[in-house]
Amino acid sequence: DSLDIYGNCSDKVSLEAGRPARFWVGSPAGGEAVGEGIHECIGGLNVEAYLRTPDVMAALHVTEPKFAGPWAMCSPFVGAHYSRTVASLLETVYPALIANYRILIFNGDADAVVPYTDNEEWTSGMGVPTVAKWQAWLVDGQVAGYVTKYEHDFSFATVKGAGHMVPQYKPRQAFVMLQTFLDGTW
């Protein structure tokens, strides 16, 4: 499971020779196939089914895309057709955001798709002066991750033992991290 290096997703994905991954509700032997394509074992099948219901689509004011097939959490169509519209947001958008808003960038430290080391380098590379260097943050007296604080209420944090979807893997720590950031006691 590339989104959680400690996780196991073999019960969610069936890899067939020469075919894209097929995703099942139940099991491949007795379940119902619900999709094909790139799916990273993040337990998103229920979310996909929910977001595809007509009442939810109407509430979100979205229509089924005719060109890309049914909406999927990890759409191979979108990935294959994505192109950048600007060379780098580091020089244009991010400095303006950091100067005007409180920002928290966070990663699970068990995420192999977006390693925290990449985001740590990315945030430090923005050139915002450091206020507090890499230090532990706690939940219930235990280390829950590490945080670096920069000027302008800009912070980078990790969540210990969490995969890509931090609230899915470590809900209590994610809640405390966000609450602490929002109430300004970070």
Side-chain angles (χ1 to χ4, degrees):
D1 183 352
S2 57
L3 297 174
D4 176 14
I5 61 174
Y6 300 112
N8 178 357
C9 66
S10 62
D11 62 333
K12 298 176 187 162
V13 177
S14 170
L15 297 176
E16 301 172 20
R19 294 187 49 120
R22 178 167 282 187
F23 311 100
W24 304 87
V25 173
S27 70
E32 173 188 353
V34 293
E36 290 185 349
I38 300 168
H39 197 286
E40 297 291 344
C41 303
I42 58 176
L45 295 178
N46 292 332
V47 172
E48 284 187 12
Y50 174 73
L51 291 174
R52 287 182 186 167
T53 60
D55 58 329
V56 171
M57 290 176 68
L60 295 173
H61 305 285
V62 296
T63 59
E64 191 68 57
K66 307 271 187 277
F67 60 89
W71 181 87
M73 189 173 289
C74 298
S75 168
F77 180 87
V78 172
H81 294 86
Y82 175 80
S83 62
R84 293 177 184 240
T85 55
V86 294
S88 173
L89 297 177
L90 284 174
E91 298 167 2
T92 57
V93 174
Y94 294 127
L97 291 174
I98 291 168
N100 293 290
Y101 298 97
R102 297 175 63 224
I103 296 176
L104 171 63
I105 306 292
F106 63 92
N107 282 84
D109 67 3
D111 180 353
V113 172
V114 182
Y116 79 90
T117 52
D118 286 359
N119 274 352
E120 180 183 24
E121 183 177 327
W122 174 69
T123 55
S124 68
M126 287 190 210
V128 180
T130 303
V131 173
K133 292 186 178 187
W134 188 255
Q135 60 188 326
W137 63 276
L138 309 176
V139 172
D140 301 327
Q142 298 294 313
V143 173
Y146 295 86
V147 62
T148 300
K149 300 174 194 173
Y150 300 94
E151 286 184 359
H152 308 291
D153 284 323
F154 174 49
S155 300
F156 169 72
T158 64
V159 180
K160 184 180 174 186
H164 188 71
M165 306 294 279
V166 171
Q168 179 180 352
Y169 295 105
K170 295 290 183 175
R172 171 117 173 93
Q173 290 85 343
F175 177 77
V176 170
M177 175 184 64
L178 187 58
Q179 183 179 44
T180 304
F181 175 75
L182 291 175
D183 70 18
T185 60
W186 188 259

